[in-house]
């Protein structure tokens, strides 16, 4: 008996091909271009930052330039017809657009997610954030670099037992730290070296900042000492204050701004050894934090009595002084391109958003104390998800539980996010959602 032949062109010996789930990676260049062309300018910018292939598509298709020209034409704005002028205008516009979204997220978030994880065995009281990486440490003599993707510890750097770590900073190739009275360098490939003992500060260092190729250390004897990373020598010693230098910030053109324990701020150029000016807040309880914005030439300080002040270096005068907190202000920072908002944190544990131009406190946030709303896990342990909560300007801070406002020893600011440390084991990432 003969079996009937299978109908159609399908052979019984040929297996059906299996295809995986449809993903966006299967879409070709032309289809992605059509999809991107339906978005507005800001969303196309965000798509270009997703991955290298999307960025290449956006750049090759000139979608950003096309959408920008449409926007300018719609608003009847004149622009240069030269390619270089168009690209420059586009970069400025995109930066302003991004900063508008950043400010909107900080002031009117639809929600605030706070991811917290135990980053160190003893305590962590300082943090830095650059290029989607977070550097934390000081308390347990170990520094760790964390990826913002899942908060995974990607690098770890131990500090020699004989050298207590005081302060640190980092870039894409190395970490520079102040350990005891010496400056140390940790290469991102794992090697560590310390400046020769004769090149040490010889005075107790209290703070340090680093802009390649120099590290500047503020000392207990009122001096700052400038160290060259390549010659491995202390190149300059400048007398800044008769009292200890408690904090410092670096600006363009080898500009050093130092705050003292008696409330003075000195602005000097360590390239010429000249004092530019002296700034003094009305509050003389001691400068605990300094921040310089090179985009607007504004200097911000935080004091032991809770005051935040602002000076314009172009006019050499104070613009405002506000008591933002009843307690010590330990840290204040802003996003690198932001000229509108300043993030302030201190001993009362409240994250405050301050207007850079007026000193007005625009919004204040704490952690909701109802417990975690979810959790996940990375290689180091559990990541708890908490929620942030806005509080009114007249809220009774002392009546809020300390679990909702652990003291903020340091903070770092990124796009719509803030990292905080609290002199404990936890590191917290505040994500402001629009």
């Amino acid at each position: 008996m003969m079996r009937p032949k299978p109908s159609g062109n399908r052979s019984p010996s040929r297996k059906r091909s299996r295809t995986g789930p449809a993903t966006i990676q299967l879409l070709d260049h032309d289809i992605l271009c059509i999809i991107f062309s339906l978005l507005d300018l800001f969303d196309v910018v965000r798509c270009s930052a997703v991955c290298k292939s999307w960025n290449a598509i956006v750049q090759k298709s000139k979608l950003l330039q096309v959408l920008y020209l449409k926007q300018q034409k719609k608003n009847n704005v004149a622009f240069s017809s030269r390619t270089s002028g168009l690209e420059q205008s586009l970069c400025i516009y995109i930066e302003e657009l991004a900063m508008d979204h950043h400010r909107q997220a900080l002031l009117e978030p639809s929600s605030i997610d706070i991811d917290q994880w135990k980053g160190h065995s003893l305590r962590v009281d300082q943090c830095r954030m650059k290029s989607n990486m977070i550097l934390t440490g000081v308390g347990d003599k170990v520094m760790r670099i964390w990826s913002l993707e899942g908060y995974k510890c990607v690098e770890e750097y131990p500090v020699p037992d004989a050298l207590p770590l005081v302060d640190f900073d980092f870039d894409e190739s190395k970490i520079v730290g102040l350990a005891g009275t010496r400056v140390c360098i940790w290469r991102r490939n794992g090697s560590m070296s310390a400046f020769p003992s004769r090149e040490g500060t010889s005075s107790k260092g209290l703070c340090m900042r680093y802009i390649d190729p120099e590290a500047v250390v503020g000392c207990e004897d009122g001096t700052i000492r400038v160290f060259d990373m390549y010659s491995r020598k202390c190149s300059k010693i400048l007398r800044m204050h008769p009292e200890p230098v408690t904090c410092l910030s670096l600006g363009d053109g080898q500009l050093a701004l130092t705050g003292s324990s008696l409330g003075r701020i000195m602005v000097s150029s360590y390239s010429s050894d000249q004092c530019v000016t002296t700034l003094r807040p009305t509050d003389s309880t001691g400068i605990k934090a300094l921040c310089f914005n090179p985009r607007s030439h504004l200097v911000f300080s935080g004091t032991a009595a809770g005051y935040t002040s602002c000076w314009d270096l172009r006019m050499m005068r104070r613009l405002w002084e506000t008591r933002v907190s009843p307690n010590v202000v330990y840290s204040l920072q802003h996003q690198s391109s932001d000229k509108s908002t300043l993030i302030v944190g201190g001993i009362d544990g409240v994250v405050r958003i301050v207007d850079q131009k007026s000193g007005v406190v625009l919004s204040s946030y704490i952690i909701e104390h109802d417990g975690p709303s979810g959790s996940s896990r990375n290689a180091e342990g559990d990541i708890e998800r908490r929620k942030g909560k806005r509080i009114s300007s007249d809220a009774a801070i002392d009546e809020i539980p300390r679990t909702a406002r652990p003291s903020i020893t340091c903070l770092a600011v990124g796009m719509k996010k803030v990292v905080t440390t609290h002199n404990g084991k936890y590191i917290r990432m505040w994500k402001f959602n629009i």
Side-chain angles (χ1 to χ4, degrees), residues 6 19 73 105 130 174 184 187 231 233-234 342 428 430:
T19 59
K73 186 176 181 180
K130 295 177 182 177
K174 58 184 169 294
C184 300
R187 298 290 176 182
S231 67
K233 292 182 179 181
C234 178
L342 181 72
R428 291 181 171 89
W430 302 60

Side-chain angles (χ1 to χ4, degrees), residues 207-210 214-218 224-227 248 250 270:
C207 52
M208 187 213 73
R209 289 294 179 267
Y210 159 69
E214 293 166 318
V216 181
V217 176
I224 62 169
R225 299 174 185 241
V226 183
F227 294 85
L248 62 87
L250 302 181
Y270 56 86

Side-chain angles (χ1 to χ4, degrees), residues 124-143:
V124 51
D125 58 9
Q126 293 200 49
C127 59
R128 307 284 183 265
M129 180 164 56
K130 295 177 182 177
S131 302
N132 289 324
M133 294 289 179
I134 307 169
L135 176 64
T136 61
V138 175
D140 58 3
K141 298 176 71 65
V142 172
M143 293 179 294

Side-chain angles (χ1 to χ4, degrees), residues 242-267:
E243 63 273 8
V245 176
T246 54
C247 56
L248 62 87
S249 180
L250 302 181
D252 297 333
Q254 295 183 311
L255 193 68
L257 301 95
T258 59
S260 78
S261 60
L262 295 182
R264 278 187 285 258
I265 299 174
M266 188 75 70
V267 183

Side-chain angles (χ1 to χ4, degrees), residues 11 22 41 50 55 72 75 113 130 136 154 157 178 183 220 230 236 239 261 281 289 297 332 359 368:
S11 171
L41 179 59
V50 169
N55 181 271
Q72 298 297 81
N75 297 333
D113 294 326
K130 295 177 182 177
T136 61
V154 294
Y157 303 90
L178 173 62
V183 175
E220 194 174 44
Y230 300 100
K236 289 182 183 295
R239 169 66 62 179
S261 60
H297 303 281
L332 43 81
E368 283 192 350

